[in-house]
Amino acid sequence: MDYIDRIVAVRIDGDDTQRSLGTKLGISYSQWARYERRANEMPIRYLIRFCQHYGVSADYILGLGRDMKWPRG
């Protein structure tokens, strides 16, 4: 599982669509969809906003932490 797979899983588990998440993060739906399709690399500022929004660590998303379980609030 790579970081995009984790981002998509967290978004879906959070009951957000690409459109609703884009609105919450202050970017367009089409731009967010390009990140999830791997057409564009996600800038770190959006990764940070994503992690803050869902209360998940960037280490988890990037696959760097020892505890690779997603903490379900």
Side-chain angles (χ1 to χ4, degrees), residues 3-4 30-31 34-42:
Y3 83 101
I4 294 296
S30 60
Q31 185 61 49
R34 284 193 288 269
Y35 299 144
E36 287 192 11
R37 281 194 324 266
R38 297 168 173 85
N40 294 97
E41 288 292 323
M42 182 182 299

Side-chain angles (χ1 to χ4, degrees), residues 5-73:
D5 294 328
R6 287 186 190 92
I7 283 173
V8 171
V10 169
R11 177 182 58 77
I12 290 171
D13 200 47
D15 293 326
D16 273 317
T17 63
Q18 290 176 336
R19 186 174 305 277
S20 67
L21 181 59
T23 299
K24 291 172 185 177
L25 299 182
I27 62 174
S28 71
Y29 149 76
S30 60
Q31 185 61 49
W32 186 261
R34 284 193 288 269
Y35 299 144
E36 287 192 11
R37 281 194 324 266
R38 297 168 173 85
N40 294 97
E41 288 292 323
M42 182 182 299
I44 190 72
R45 68 182 175 273
Y46 295 133
L47 175 63
I48 292 168
R49 288 182 196 172
F50 178 90
C51 291
Q52 289 171 332
H53 175 72
Y54 289 108
V56 65
S57 75
D59 282 351
Y60 168 74
I61 296 296
L62 298 174
L64 301 175
R66 285 188 288 151
D67 180 14
M68 289 307 300
K69 292 171 68 178
W70 179 43
R72 297 178 188 258

